[in-house]
Amino acid sequence: MVSAKDGPYDQADGLDYGADDYLTKPFDYVVLLARLRALLRRQSDPRPPVLTHGDVRLDPASRDVTVGASRWRSATGVRAAGVLLRHPDRLITKIELLDRVWDARGVGYEPNTVEVYVGYLRRKLGADVIETVRGAGYRLAR
């Protein structure tokens, strides 16, 4: 993956969502070609594991979210769902979601953004999938 986003969460998300490597712009073509040769030398790499919770299924390689028979794909929605699905037993704070999904250093994003997207995820995943812990954050319902 080649991207101008060079934050650690951006790189981690790129790799978690299926990229084999992450190169930030600007880059030197000598390095790009060396990394491509290294990737070609690898044996078949396994696909990243599919994340599941109840009826919810996220395939990081295809970036598809499946709930029962319905399937959807939204870049921000997939990132937000991915954060929750990667940590099913952990409380995720609004600030943590903001950092991991929207890169909170960016301009124009506020904690209210998280609330709006959690509402969106509840409509897509089911109202009972995401639990709100008042004053603390969110977690997947057990």
Side-chain angles (χ1 to χ4, degrees), residues 113-127 130 138:
T113 304
V114 175
E115 294 169 13
V116 170
Y117 262 85
V118 167
Y120 168 77
L121 284 176
R122 284 185 171 130
R123 287 189 299 278
K124 290 292 192 178
L125 304 179
I130 300 172
Y138 304 98

Side-chain angles (χ1 to χ4, degrees), residues 3 5 12 15 17 21-22 29 51 61-62 99 109 114 116 121:
S3 175
K5 297 184 106 184
L15 295 168
Y17 287 132
D21 197 0
Y22 195 100
Y29 285 100
L51 305 170
S62 68
D99 284 342
Y109 295 113
V114 175
V116 170
L121 284 176

Side-chain angles (χ1 to χ4, degrees), residues 79-84 92-104 114-115 118 121 130 137-138:
R79 285 194 308 271
V83 171
L84 291 165
I92 306 294
T93 66
K94 286 182 187 179
I95 298 301
E96 187 176 355
L97 269 172
L98 195 61
D99 284 342
R100 291 184 177 209
V101 177
W102 290 275
D103 187 12
V114 175
E115 294 169 13
V118 167
L121 284 176
I130 300 172
Y138 304 98

Side-chain angles (χ1 to χ4, degrees), residues 61-105:
S62 68
R63 301 187 65 159
D64 284 334
V65 178
T66 308
V67 181
S70 67
R71 181 184 307 169
W72 59 275
R73 184 183 301 172
S74 155
T76 304
V78 168
R79 285 194 308 271
V83 171
L84 291 165
L85 289 167
R86 278 185 181 75
H87 308 285
D89 297 323
R90 201 176 123 224
L91 178 78
I92 306 294
T93 66
K94 286 182 187 179
I95 298 301
E96 187 176 355
L97 269 172
L98 195 61
D99 284 342
R100 291 184 177 209
V101 177
W102 290 275
D103 187 12
R105 294 168 301 203

Side-chain angles (χ1 to χ4, degrees), residues 31-45:
V31 174
L32 172 65
L33 292 174
R35 286 181 175 210
L36 289 172
R37 286 191 301 272
L39 288 171
L40 291 172
R41 284 192 302 265
R42 290 183 187 173
Q43 298 297 322
S44 65
D45 291 331

